[in-house]
Amino acid sequence: MSANVLAPPATGSTRSPALITATLAGCGVICSFMQTLMVPLVPELPRLLSTSPSNASWIVTATLLAGAVFTPISGRLGDIFGKKRVALVLLGAILVGSLLAAVTTTLIPMIVGRAFQGAGLGMISLGIGMLRDTIPPERLGRSVALMSSTLGVGAAVGMPLSAFATQHYNWHMLFWMSGALSVLGAGALWVIVPAGPRHRDMRFDVAGALGLAVGLTGLLLAVSKGSDWGWAAAPTLVCALGGPLVLVVWGRYQWRSRSPLVDLRVSIRRPVLLTNLASIAVGFGLFASSVVLPQLLEMPAVTGVGLGQSMVVASVCMVPTGLIMMAVSPFAARVSEARGPAPV
């Protein structure tokens, strides 16, 4: 892993490495903002969309599911067609999703729009790849650390902006704002970041992409809708059993494929496997705090568990997480270069 990160850029660039890093990090912040765009509104979504709380939760779940599916897909498409081109498509998907969500007040179009926005989360991994193609080796570690930190920075710092717009304006303003940000990010990316290499001899694994999407969707449907459908009801059991079964078949297919969407042979190597498991644990804790803490802060104090704070105050309480993450990431990169990643 470290050998790949520190490898020399595949293509040279006359543009400032700092400017390229800032542009890609800015696009990463815009895309990661989509994770928590609606979090301040979670308690109000059932009323705003005239639906049940479990249905409304899919406004957040659809974004994360799309991000989980499209991150490996966008990475492979970036290798085939060029990372910059695919990154522009992902920012375009955020724009399409934002426009769709901005003009609807019903559940299904809102979920579809939020899924389009979630596809943009693949921009983080693409951005790291573009840094590797364009940044000198001696600056690459710190640039990658900053790009990685945007996954949490955008989620934490964007929440007060989202809460302020919701509290003082119509909540659809959030989507007009996210659409405008995606246009600005795409424009900066188009002008500043050079195009990287392409590998047209690679094949895209369509079956692998569909299997991953179906398996994850079934599993999440069982978890989120089980209480509504009934935990022993046929739809819940079909999703609860079918989702993992599809993922098992998908794993066997990926193992045997000559051009897999996810190379499981690499993924099960001890350093990679343990790193991924640790990342999942840390990521779960980080995102759980982003979703749960604002709800606890906003719940009325009379419930015995809430603190009765406003939407803006609850979101401001999350800002230090993003600021500390951005401050620590370059320091962590320097220590990693000197001592290795494990101590960090």
Side-chain angles (χ1 to χ4, degrees):
M1 186 68 70
S2 59
N4 288 335
V5 170
L6 297 177
T11 58
S13 171
T14 59
R15 295 178 176 87
S16 165
L19 185 59
I20 293 173
T21 301
T23 300
L24 290 173
C27 291
V29 168
I30 292 169
C31 295
S32 64
F33 178 36
M34 299 305 112
Q35 296 179 94
T36 53
L37 179 69
M38 298 294 288
V39 167
L41 269 174
V42 166
E44 300 294 323
L45 284 176
R47 177 181 62 83
L48 294 173
L49 298 174
S50 302
T51 188
S52 67
S54 61
N55 285 338
S57 69
W58 271 84
I59 303 299
V60 176
T61 302
T63 307
L64 302 178
L65 175 61
V69 172
F70 274 91
T71 293
I73 290 175
S74 58
R76 177 49 60 94
L77 290 176
D79 290 336
I80 298 173
F81 299 107
K83 299 179 183 70
K84 178 178 177 179
R85 183 176 298 180
V86 175
L88 290 170
V89 171
L90 294 181
L91 289 167
I94 293 178
L95 176 60
V96 171
S98 298
L99 295 177
L100 177 60
V103 297
T104 186
T105 56
T106 54
L107 180 66
I108 298 302
M110 185 67 68
I111 290 176
V112 173
R114 290 287 290 155
F116 270 99
Q117 288 185 320
L121 291 173
M123 176 68 210
I124 308 294
S125 59
L126 279 177
I128 293 173
M130 284 187 277
L131 287 173
R132 181 178 178 275
D133 292 338
T134 56
I135 299 297
E138 64 273 12
R139 303 189 59 168
L140 185 57
R142 279 164 281 175
S143 295
V144 169
L146 180 62
M147 187 71 199
S148 300
S149 73
T150 62
L151 190 60
V153 172
V157 177
M159 286 182 66
L161 183 62
S162 174
F164 179 83
T166 301
Q167 190 162 300
H168 296 282
Y169 303 96
N170 186 286
W171 62 283
H172 285 93
M173 179 65 67
L174 294 174
F175 301 109
W176 296 114
M177 179 176 63
S178 63
L181 289 173
S182 68
V183 172
L184 290 174
L189 182 67
W190 175 265
V191 172
I192 295 172
V193 180
R198 289 182 283 177
H199 308 281
R200 292 189 177 275
D201 57 331
M202 299 180 69
R203 183 178 65 87
F204 180 70
D205 185 5
V206 177
L210 291 175
L212 181 62
V214 171
L216 289 176
T217 301
L219 194 59
L220 287 173
L221 273 173
V223 172
S224 65
K225 298 292 293 180
S227 59
D228 284 355
W229 292 341
W231 295 109
T236 304
L237 294 177
V238 168
C239 292
L241 298 176
L245 179 61
V246 170
L247 290 176
V248 169
V249 174
W250 172 82
R252 289 178 61 85
Y253 170 76
Q254 293 293 286
W255 186 269
R256 296 177 178 178
S257 175
R258 300 180 65 179
S259 184
L261 181 69
V262 179
D263 192 341
L264 296 181
R265 289 181 173 84
V266 173
S267 300
I268 64 171
R269 293 175 184 170
R270 188 173 183 274
V272 178
L273 178 62
L274 294 179
T275 300
N276 285 336
L277 291 175
S279 300
I280 290 171
V282 172
F284 181 87
L286 179 64
F287 191 78
S289 67
S290 299
V291 174
V292 175
L293 289 180
Q295 295 188 61
L296 293 176
L297 288 162
E298 291 178 47
M299 289 176 66
V302 296
T303 62
V305 293
L307 296 179
Q309 300 299 313
S310 69
M311 191 182 299
V312 172
V313 171
S315 298
V316 168
C317 289
M318 303 303 299
V319 172
T321 301
L323 297 180
I324 292 296
M325 188 178 298
M326 181 171 285
V328 168
S329 61
F331 170 75
R334 292 184 183 224
V335 176
S336 180
E337 291 170 3
R339 302 289 184 181
V344 179

